[in-house]
Amino acid sequence: MKIEQVSSKLLQPIYNVTDDQPVPTRKSIPLTVFDKLADDQHIPLLYAYKPPNPSNALLEQGLQKVLPEYREWAGRLGEDEDGEFVILLNDEGMRFIEASADCTLDEAIPFTVSTLLELNSSLEGPMKELALVQLTRFTCGSLVLSFSSNHIVADGVFVSQFMIAWAQACRGLEIHPRPVHERNIFVPRNPCDIKFDHTSVEIAKRKINEDSSMLPYAKDDLACEILHFTPEFIAKIKNKASSSSLTCEDVNGGYSSSYSTFECLVAHLWRVITRVRGLGESDTTYVRISVNGRRRLRPRVPNEYFGNLVLWAFPETQGKNLFDESLSHTAGVIHDAVAKVNDEYFKSFVDFAKKNQHDENLMPKKVADMKVPSMWPNLEVQSWLGFPFNDVDFGVGKPSIFMPSFDPFEGEIYLVPSVVGDGSIDVYVTLFQQHLPLFEQICYNID
């Protein structure tokens, strides 16, 4: 298939200027300690809508109406007079691309890696724009809407809120709830109380393991495998991982007699991929898991907080434990690591970042162009299980597809709620194609 770009332009906010609501005059917003930890790269996601679907003109108008509430997307990264990183609220605009495909959407599915790259132009190279929309029309009338945004500006939790607001604007509704822009809420304690070794975690493990450059694979060997876990299969995994004798502390401080769906699925995938990779019993491996601070901090930060509020858990073990111990044991390793990233841990990191505010390791960084992009021997898991994608309704109903674009890093995993709506989960895994036959053979085996 061929995708041709029809137009590309910058969209600026359209302000509804009144005496009570004048044009905002704020010039910039500082980056928080959590924004600075985010990689300077665009994270794309895709929505597909079968006909009838919204026109490009409607989507463009809705975007310009919603941007006054989300000025950061139309701004640029820069520095203030003190040399501190900021988001410049200059309204230069969000990139808006219109494209057309020479086939039907059904003919293009399943998307190849090259197609996914064409459906989102932000993957072609560095961009000065902080957000990009690409609308690709297929010959059958179907629409693929790709939205990507610079991770420094906001995390995935907030992006899902923005997409709902855009849909509300297209339907002529009031934006609700409105975003929370207060990025000065992360104040270090006085005196600072650093209780954890953040140097060995947030700094040391932020760097990708360069050992992957020694692997006998190439960048062109990367492939994406999509799994569909039915509710029945998920129930089997949870039953195998959980027992009546265990008690797990949950995020709210209560206790549960079973591990979560997320913990069980990640435990299963960790064990399978470790076997597929052929790691040895003495090899150490960890999973990098994003932990949303909105749910952890006390007082709680609302979901509408505009920015990044993520730290990571790093459950770690040796290959022999993944081979010989039970699925319940692996789920427990994951559960315990995630539970440790709590209110006290987040506040300790804020104190740590204040004391080390000039450390270059705590500043935004470009993603390295690696010869062999891989997390080897580790994994990274992005969970979109809580994203309300069904609410991204531009007036014609929910999307027929909701998925990440291709993430060119071996060992990267996305957990996405299936659009089927029956509780099933789609799992997107980037692996080397040499490992796919064995992966496909054992990924649905839980014995």
Side-chain angles (χ1 to χ4, degrees):
M1 64 172 291
K2 181 181 179 181
I3 295 178
E4 180 181 358
Q5 192 173 117
V6 177
S7 68
S8 177
K9 57 188 173 184
L10 292 175
L11 296 186
Q12 286 79 29
I14 295 179
Y15 294 99
N16 182 20
V17 180
T18 64
D19 291 338
D20 296 331
Q21 192 175 8
V23 175
T25 58
R26 189 170 185 179
K27 300 298 183 182
S28 66
I29 290 181
L31 298 186
T32 70
V33 295
F34 301 106
D35 298 330
K36 292 176 182 178
L37 272 186
D39 291 331
D40 186 2
Q41 67 170 337
H42 274 63
I43 307 297
L45 64 166
L46 302 176
Y47 298 81
Y49 296 87
K50 296 287 185 75
N53 49 47
S55 67
N56 289 10
L58 176 67
L59 292 168
E60 178 179 342
Q61 293 167 5
L63 196 55
Q64 289 189 284
K65 289 179 181 178
V66 81
L67 278 178
E69 292 280 358
Y70 300 86
R71 292 185 67 202
E72 290 89 332
W73 294 138
R76 298 291 183 268
L77 291 177
E79 297 181 359
D80 62 14
E81 58 273 12
D82 299 321
E84 295 292 328
F85 283 106
V86 297
I87 301 171
L88 301 173
L89 302 178
N90 52 21
D91 292 343
E92 284 194 14
M94 176 191 292
R95 179 64 57 184
F96 186 83
I97 296 173
E98 296 173 280
S100 63
D102 64 353
C103 65
T104 67
L105 180 60
D106 289 341
E107 290 172 335
I109 294 173
F111 294 133
T112 64
V113 170
S114 60
T115 298
L116 288 171
L117 297 177
E118 288 189 89
L119 288 171
N120 193 292
S121 298
S122 70
L123 299 175
E124 295 178 352
M127 292 181 56
K128 66 176 182 178
E129 292 89 12
L130 298 182
L132 176 147
V133 169
Q134 180 170 323
L135 307 178
T136 304
R137 295 278 172 182
F138 289 76
T139 57
C140 60
S142 296
L143 166 70
V144 170
L145 184 159
S146 172
F147 177 79
S148 70
S149 56
N150 193 309
H151 203 333
I152 292 177
V153 179
D155 56 29
V157 174
F158 183 79
V159 168
S160 67
Q161 297 292 328
F162 167 76
M163 295 300 297
I164 293 172
W166 181 12
Q168 289 173 337
C170 287
R171 294 181 356 240
L173 303 176
E174 182 179 349
I175 296 171
H176 179 79
R178 297 175 65 184
V180 177
H181 294 274
E182 294 302 322
R183 296 198 183 211
N184 59 354
I185 61 176
F186 308 114
V187 179
R189 294 169 289 192
N190 188 13
C192 289
D193 186 11
I194 303 170
K195 293 184 176 180
F196 303 93
D197 183 8
H198 298 286
T199 300
S200 298
V201 180
E202 281 76 24
I203 291 182
K205 291 186 176 180
R206 189 183 184 192
K207 301 173 183 176
I208 300 295
N209 191 343
E210 296 299 331
D211 288 348
S212 64
S213 62
M214 307 299 292
L215 295 172
Y217 308 109
K219 202 170 189 177
D220 291 342
D221 292 325
L222 294 175
C224 182
E225 181 75 11
I226 304 174
L227 309 177
H228 182 75
F229 287 168
T230 64
E232 294 77 19
F233 183 77
I234 294 169
K236 289 180 180 179
I237 290 180
K238 294 187 71 173
N239 288 337
K240 189 174 181 65
S242 303
S243 69
S244 58
S245 60
L246 60 86
T247 55
C248 308
E249 185 175 2
D250 63 27
V251 68
N252 297 314
Y255 289 87
S256 170
S257 62
S258 64
Y259 293 116
S260 69
T261 296
F262 171 84
E263 292 162 346
C264 296
L265 291 187
V266 174
H268 173 68
L269 292 166
W270 193 10
R271 289 155 65 89
V272 167
I273 294 174
T274 299
R275 288 190 181 278
V276 166
R277 283 170 160 177
L279 295 183
E281 290 193 351
S282 61
D283 289 332
T284 299
T285 172
Y286 65 72
V287 184
R288 187 177 191 255
I289 298 173
S290 298
V291 179
N292 179 11
R294 294 168 180 81
R295 300 180 61 193
R296 305 275 169 156
L297 280 165
R298 298 292 182 268
R300 184 165 175 168
V301 178
N303 278 344
E304 296 76 37
Y305 167 73
F306 194 163
N308 287 282
L309 191 40
V310 166
L311 289 177
W312 298 273
F314 292 91
E316 183 174 311
T317 192
Q318 288 185 311
K320 63 181 179 182
N321 295 323
L322 297 174
F323 302 146
D324 300 336
E325 297 288 348
S326 66
L327 182 64
S328 179
H329 176 272
T330 307
V333 172
I334 295 168
H335 175 87
D336 292 345
V338 173
K340 290 177 182 177
V341 189
N342 54 18
D343 172 71
E344 184 56 42
Y345 191 92
F346 272 89
K347 289 175 178 174
S348 174
F349 176 75
V350 172
D351 293 347
F352 171 81
K354 176 62 178 179
K355 282 208 166 187
N356 298 273
Q357 58 185 318
H358 300 299
D359 189 334
E360 291 186 357
N361 290 304
L362 292 173
M363 297 295 175
K365 66 180 180 68
K366 293 282 187 182
V367 176
D369 185 13
M370 301 173 63
K371 181 180 178 181
V372 184
S374 174
M375 299 295 297
W376 191 289
N378 308 308
L379 299 173
E380 180 166 19
V381 178
Q382 308 287 348
S383 176
W384 293 3
L385 297 182
F387 286 13
F389 69 92
N390 276 340
D391 293 336
V392 185
D393 177 359
F394 295 97
V396 293
K398 70 177 186 178
S400 61
I401 296 174
F402 168 61
M403 62 179 288
S405 184
F406 176 62
D407 198 332
F409 252 93
E410 189 270 348
E412 193 79 31
I413 301 171
Y414 287 83
L415 305 182
V416 181
S418 172
V419 295
V420 176
D422 62 353
S424 55
I425 294 173
D426 293 327
V427 181
Y428 297 79
V429 185
T430 302
L431 294 172
F432 294 121
Q433 59 185 356
Q434 292 86 342
H435 294 151
L436 290 184
L438 180 57
F439 181 75
E440 292 169 350
Q441 179 183 335
I442 67 175
C443 64
Y444 291 106
N445 184 0
I446 60 174
D447 295 328

